Amino acid sequence: MGVADLADYPWDAVAPYAQEARRHPDGIVDLSIGSPVDATPALIAEALAAGTDAHAYPQTMGTPALRSAIADWYARRRGVAGLGAENVLPTVGSKELVALLPLLLGLGSGDVVVHPRAAYPTYEVGARLVGATPLAADDPAEWPTGTKLVWINSPGNPDGRVMDAASLRAAVTRARELGAVIASDECYAELGWDAPWDAEPIPSVLDPRVTDGELRGILSVYSLSKQSNLAGYRAAFLAGDPAIVERLLTGRKHLGLMLPAPVQRAMTVALADDEHVATQKERYRRRREVLKPAIEAAGFRIDGSEGGLYLWATEGRDAWDSMGRLAALGILAGPGHFYGSHYPRHVRLSLTATDERIDAAADRLRSVAL
């Protein structure tokens, strides 16, 4: 299978609902895609500008300063000490890594790629791109022989489900039994909301409680798009097993997957500053505290969503029907159908809208409260 054989891009199906939502007298509230709306912090933008004399090719492996900043960030924010330059690698955003990881690992026909039941679609796309078999399964006991890559996602997109250290440990144990690489998509890990994640850090798959200090077969994937409003910078990275990192580095050198030098400089600054992350989290907290009760008052149940950037909601009807009801209120969501076949009655609502638009959505939802 190749790119030409992939299904149509699913978001095209949302266009009629967007058109309906735009007819609302007060305009659309677009909660469909998690694209940041807040400004990039000034210290990061200034670092980008200072790095624009980038006349030489950038290093695929990242500058020494960036690699050190990534390792320091894991130690400071994720409780993962002892990482060195051999354990980390910057990537051109996280989506390209998710899509290309099966290719870079040499997977193909007959190999199984496991991903969550409620899943970011690119896990499946990456498997199908190389002719591997995608399998949606959350229970490690269901992961079959022939599994070569396991994707886990905590906090989850779309469902906001958080895996504790014991659950991560069980997943790592099973992946190692199968001889599979396990890759943990942790891009929302700074955004914990409900107990206990409102008071303690969300664990990484690299946490020593999970690994006992042995990183064999494990990768953690992270992005600065959400916590630092850098979606347009394509600023992400991975960390873990040095043997896998080296293999990925070699492949990425051949493919020319180099993070631009100004972005590397900006990332170095962003990773060293926790204050802007805390500020952005409080923006999302406020929006969540406004939107969540309004959705519930309108007859939706919120499932999961204890972490991350979304509310995973259902009113017990097909997601397309819910999409229509919300569009009539000028609100655009994402249908559960886009995140696998297991949640056809859910919709995903993003917190990435301005305070004014979130307030408008809440007012509209309260006006039809059951």
Side-chain angles (χ1 to χ4, degrees):
M1 183 175 183
V3 173
D5 301 309
L6 295 175
D8 291 339
Y9 194 59
W11 284 99
D12 294 344
V14 171
Y17 299 89
Q19 185 175 14
E20 170 68 18
R22 290 190 186 98
R23 295 192 184 104
H24 191 278
D26 187 38
I28 187 172
V29 179
D30 190 347
L31 307 179
S32 63
I33 297 178
S35 184
V37 298
D38 301 302
T40 299
L43 82 165
I44 303 174
E46 290 164 4
L48 183 80
T52 53
D53 181 13
H55 48 272
Y57 287 112
Q59 295 175 278
T60 305
M61 69 178 65
T63 64
L66 176 55
R67 298 199 302 275
S68 178
I70 294 171
D72 290 347
W73 179 85
Y74 269 101
R76 188 178 72 254
R77 301 300 301 174
R78 309 304 310 280
V80 181
L83 297 181
E86 72 279 7
N87 298 110
V88 302
L89 186 63
T91 65
V92 190
S94 58
K95 185 172 183 177
E96 62 90 347
L97 174 67
V98 172
L100 293 177
L101 188 58
L103 175 68
L104 294 171
L105 292 175
L107 274 57
S109 178
D111 295 329
V112 175
V113 176
V114 170
H115 60 75
R117 283 162 54 91
Y120 183 53
T122 310
Y123 304 135
E124 179 177 346
V125 168
R128 295 196 181 282
L129 188 66
V130 298
T133 302
L135 174 67
D138 293 329
D139 184 352
E142 298 176 355
W143 302 347
T145 301
T147 299
K148 299 299 182 185
L149 172 62
V150 174
W151 278 107
I152 56 176
N153 182 202
S154 174
N157 174 12
D159 61 355
R161 181 174 65 112
V162 175
M163 298 176 69
D164 61 18
S167 298
L168 291 170
R169 186 182 181 96
V172 167
T173 298
R174 178 57 176 160
R176 285 175 170 168
E177 289 173 354
L178 295 166
V181 172
I182 184 165
S184 180
D185 182 345
E186 302 175 352
C187 294
Y188 304 95
E190 291 276 11
L191 302 176
W193 307 121
D194 296 338
W197 313 120
D198 56 342
E200 65 181 75
I202 291 171
S204 170
V205 74
L206 303 180
D207 191 299
R209 294 172 295 174
V210 176
T211 68
D212 289 331
E214 172 55 65
L215 301 183
R216 175 177 53 87
I218 307 175
L219 293 175
S220 164
V221 177
Y222 204 81
S223 167
L224 299 184
S225 292
K226 307 306 190 292
Q227 73 175 47
S228 300
N229 296 326
L230 297 187
Y233 286 48
R234 311 312 301 134
F237 51 89
L238 61 86
D241 184 337
I244 300 176
V245 171
E246 179 64 27
R247 180 175 182 178
L248 298 180
L249 174 60
T250 299
R252 297 176 71 81
K253 286 178 177 178
H254 283 295
L255 294 174
L257 295 172
M258 300 175 287
L259 194 66
V263 176
Q264 295 195 36
R265 184 161 180 171
M267 284 180 67
T268 303
V269 169
L271 285 163
D273 181 76
D274 297 335
E275 183 177 352
H276 78 275
V277 180
T279 298
Q280 187 59 43
K281 181 175 181 177
E282 289 311 306
R283 292 190 184 109
Y284 286 135
R285 185 191 304 279
R286 186 264 179 195
R287 292 165 187 167
R288 185 177 186 270
E289 289 175 351
V290 170
L291 188 61
K292 183 175 182 288
I295 293 170
E296 292 171 327
F300 288 83
R301 183 185 75 238
I302 305 297
D303 291 335
S305 307
E306 62 259 32
L309 204 56
Y310 308 102
L311 294 171
W312 187 229
T314 180
E315 56 177 342
R317 67 173 79 180
D318 186 87
W320 290 115
D321 292 336
S322 295
M323 290 284 292
R325 181 188 175 203
L326 291 168
L329 296 173
I331 299 170
L332 187 65
H337 299 285
F338 287 3
Y339 305 99
S341 61
H342 300 283
Y343 297 94
R345 295 176 179 269
H346 281 72
V347 293
R348 190 193 78 171
L349 297 108
S350 173
L351 303 178
T352 54
T354 64
D355 290 351
E356 184 274 333
R357 289 289 83 187
I358 292 289
D359 291 346
D363 287 343
R364 297 173 195 181
L365 288 161
R366 283 193 293 264
S367 74
V368 297
L370 299 180

